[in-house]
Amino acid sequence: LLLRAAEAARPVLDGGLPLPADKASPVKDAPGVYRLDAALFRNEAQRRAGRMPAMWDQAARTRYELAAGLLTVKALPGSYTIEGGALYVHTAGGRALAECRVEIGSLDAANGLVIRRPNVTVRGLWARGYTTSMFAAGFVAGTDASNAVFEDCHASSCSRGFLLRADNARLLRCQAG
């Protein structure tokens, strides 16, 4: 089985969600700090489990730091926290949120493409923004995907670019960063 990009296409499997600047409100007396409804990015079960999404500025290639609380976010540009049902973010450099390309990792998408059958070749696909845990990957060859091959694939802003668990799984001309 061959999964490939169409000629001259660059399909992207995307685990990131853009922060909607139009749904953010500035925090009073805190330049560059914005408040959003945390329910947009984390459901109740994820909240109870203590799961926190990762955050980054895609254009600036800057990862945001998870802070202990709002006071820390106010003091530290490039940080964020979830507190009291709200997501607080302090943009890097204190810029307006609308001027940034801040994205938050989806807690619902653990991995990009997972292969679970033998003899599959994946060619020319891109994956980005899979950061739900330190085990999240853009591309996975599961234990039952013997002889899986990833060719000319690219993974960026993923906890792991490629995870090969299958016998004889291979990477050919792939990049992760």
Side-chain angles (χ1 to χ4, degrees):
L1 176 65
L2 172 64
L3 301 171
R4 67 176 181 85
E7 190 67 35
R10 183 182 155 188
V12 178
L13 305 170
D14 198 343
L17 306 166
L19 278 185
D22 61 327
K23 294 185 179 186
S25 56
V27 173
K28 186 178 179 182
D29 298 324
V33 179
Y34 296 87
R35 180 188 189 284
L36 294 102
D37 180 2
L40 296 170
F41 311 103
R42 186 171 77 160
N43 66 36
E44 184 62 21
Q46 293 161 340
R47 184 197 66 75
R48 282 194 310 275
R51 296 188 58 203
M52 296 293 281
M55 188 179 294
W56 61 92
D57 185 324
Q58 185 65 27
R61 299 210 30 93
T62 302
R63 288 200 185 266
Y64 279 44
E65 294 293 327
L66 177 60
L70 180 56
L71 289 175
T72 306
V73 168
K74 287 179 176 180
L76 184 63
S79 67
Y80 70 102
T81 194
I82 296 179
E83 188 175 283
L87 167 68
Y88 295 96
V89 58
H90 190 162
T91 58
R95 299 180 322 214
L97 186 58
E99 295 174 8
C100 304
R101 282 190 47 207
V102 179
E103 297 184 5
I104 190 165
S106 168
L107 290 175
D108 295 323
N111 297 297
L113 180 65
V114 179
I115 304 299
R116 295 192 175 168
R117 61 169 280 178
N119 304 313
V120 175
T121 298
V122 178
R123 185 178 299 145
L125 300 183
W126 292 65
R128 59 182 285 283
Y130 292 95
T131 58
T132 55
S133 75
M134 65 183 193
F135 304 109
F139 297 96
V140 178
T143 55
D144 45 359
S146 60
N147 302 311
V149 178
F150 295 100
E151 294 179 8
D152 302 311
C153 293
H154 301 264
S156 66
S157 296
C158 296
S159 299
R160 296 182 186 192
F162 298 85
L163 178 57
L164 307 179
R165 292 185 155 175
D167 292 335
N168 301 317
R170 297 177 293 148
L171 300 177
L172 302 174
R173 300 174 308 277
C174 294
Q175 295 179 5

